[in-house]
Amino acid sequence: MKKKVVMVGSIVVVIALLFLVFFLGNRPLDLKSDEVTTLYSYLGDVNINICGGLNQYTGDEVTYDSLSNNNKLCLAYYKLNNNQIVEDVSEITKTNEYDLDICEVGEGSLFVSGEDKKCHYKIISKDDLATSYEKIYGNELPHEEEFYISNNHACYLEGDEYYCGEAVTFTQSLTPESVVYRLMNKAVKELNGNIVISDYYLKISGNKCYLSNSFDDENTECSKELENNPNLEINEDFVLKYGSLYKHTYKQDKNNNYYWFMSTLSK
């Protein structure tokens, strides 16, 4: 009788564990919910000229330390609200050796003038940027005197504020023109509290398909499909068939807010 009681008790425990795993372990989340769309936006922009593009899609495991400070600061900038950005205008103060009309703002921030012969720039609070940064990455804002927000626009630290405008020096992207397709697959809240969003990624450049941001991992089958069908429409089915599946993990901070933690290619 005692053995039967023990056996029944074990079965109950197993059933309870199975219930926790299958019903409470991975709770599906609405892909169109504000929470999921906000977290998904932390991955960046498809435009390579904006914060380096989608830096988490490398084919390898990508964590906080994998990303450059410039790209992280850049994304934090673009996540600021409009009311946190003050727009201002300055008059030209000099012309440099390349005949560019320059405005000197603050204690030495230099910006190039526009067609109206004035320099249009923006001012953001370092504290606001730090809040935005921590919300995305769960870390404190690194100290950087300057960072770029596009190929030719930069932000310069002036006391407790950053001045952002068209820079005298600029970066040049040598990356071939590409079109990136992403398709969210699912989002779940795991038993450990993490949120995991998975999506399909496909990059097409020069009529060839790639499974990450680099040009080293061509999907030859996909490229052949494009070559044989020059007028082929790239739709969801195409991305599902030829794209690579990535998983993006978000953890909770001390205030129970979710931040991006890691992205991996799902094998």
Side-chain angles (χ1 to χ4, degrees):
M1 182 70 178
K2 186 175 181 180
K3 287 185 178 180
K4 286 186 177 180
V5 172
V6 172
M7 186 177 294
V8 171
S10 299
I11 293 173
V12 170
V13 170
V14 170
I15 292 174
L17 289 174
L18 289 173
F19 177 83
L20 288 173
V21 171
F22 289 105
F23 293 94
L24 300 180
N26 291 335
R27 180 166 61 85
L29 300 176
D30 183 0
L31 294 180
K32 296 182 180 180
S33 67
D34 290 340
E35 180 179 41
V36 171
T37 53
T38 296
L39 294 178
Y40 195 59
S41 72
Y42 292 172
L43 300 176
D45 194 283
V46 296
N47 186 347
I48 189 68
N49 297 315
I50 303 296
C51 310
L54 298 168
N55 300 293
Q56 285 86 342
Y57 298 81
T58 67
D60 299 314
E61 179 179 282
V62 178
T63 62
Y64 175 82
D65 293 329
S66 305
L67 305 177
S68 71
N69 281 350
N70 187 93
N71 288 340
K72 288 182 288 195
L73 286 162
C74 176
L75 186 57
Y77 168 87
Y78 281 106
K79 290 303 174 185
L80 294 171
N81 297 322
N82 290 335
N83 59 9
Q84 295 174 308
I85 300 175
V86 177
E87 297 188 5
D88 208 341
V89 180
S90 178
E91 301 292 335
I92 295 171
T93 56
K94 61 180 179 180
T95 302
N96 69 4
E97 64 270 31
Y98 303 107
D99 291 328
L100 291 175
D101 292 327
I102 306 296
C103 304
E104 185 171 351
V105 179
E107 298 178 1
S109 296
L110 302 178
F111 298 120
V112 178
S113 71
E115 294 181 357
D116 60 354
K117 297 299 180 180
K118 295 180 183 293
C119 295
H120 298 261
Y121 65 97
K122 299 175 181 179
I123 304 172
I124 61 172
S125 162
K126 183 180 177 182
D127 288 341
D128 287 341
L129 187 67
T131 299
S132 176
Y133 187 94
E134 187 171 353
K135 184 183 297 184
I136 299 170
Y137 298 109
N139 281 270
E140 293 184 358
L141 185 76
H143 181 78
E144 295 287 347
E145 296 290 334
E146 66 179 69
F147 64 94
Y148 278 79
I149 54 176
S150 72
N151 285 345
N152 60 345
H153 283 72
C155 295
Y156 303 101
L157 184 61
E158 295 268 359
D160 294 327
E161 297 175 323
Y162 278 98
Y163 292 172
C164 307
E166 185 172 350
V168 177
T169 58
F170 59 90
T171 60
Q172 186 71 37
S173 175
L174 301 177
T175 305
E177 186 175 344
S178 307
V179 178
V180 173
Y181 298 89
R182 288 192 299 166
L183 181 63
M184 269 203 285
N185 180 43
K186 64 179 179 179
V188 297
K189 188 170 186 178
E190 298 181 327
L191 185 60
N192 59 12
N194 293 345
I195 287 179
V196 177
I197 300 175
S198 60
D199 66 345
Y200 286 90
Y201 172 98
L202 181 65
K203 180 175 70 176
I204 297 178
S205 179
N207 216 37
K208 293 185 178 180
C209 304
Y210 300 93
L211 301 177
S212 73
N213 273 342
S214 74
F215 290 88
D216 299 327
D217 51 359
E218 181 186 353
N219 184 331
T220 55
E221 184 182 355
C222 175
S223 298
K224 199 168 293 184
E225 179 82 8
L226 292 179
E227 183 182 355
N228 295 332
N229 301 279
N231 297 319
L232 183 67
E233 178 188 359
I234 309 300
N235 53 25
E236 290 187 4
D237 290 336
F238 188 89
V239 176
L240 284 171
K241 182 177 181 180
Y242 293 113
S244 49
L245 183 65
Y246 281 82
K247 291 186 177 181
H248 312 283
T249 302
Y250 301 81
K251 287 184 174 291
Q252 285 179 300
D253 61 18
K254 59 186 177 182
N255 297 315
N256 296 322
N257 296 315
Y258 281 93
Y259 64 92
W260 173 82
F261 176 72
M262 178 176 64
S263 292
T264 56
L265 176 64
S266 182
K267 303 298 184 181

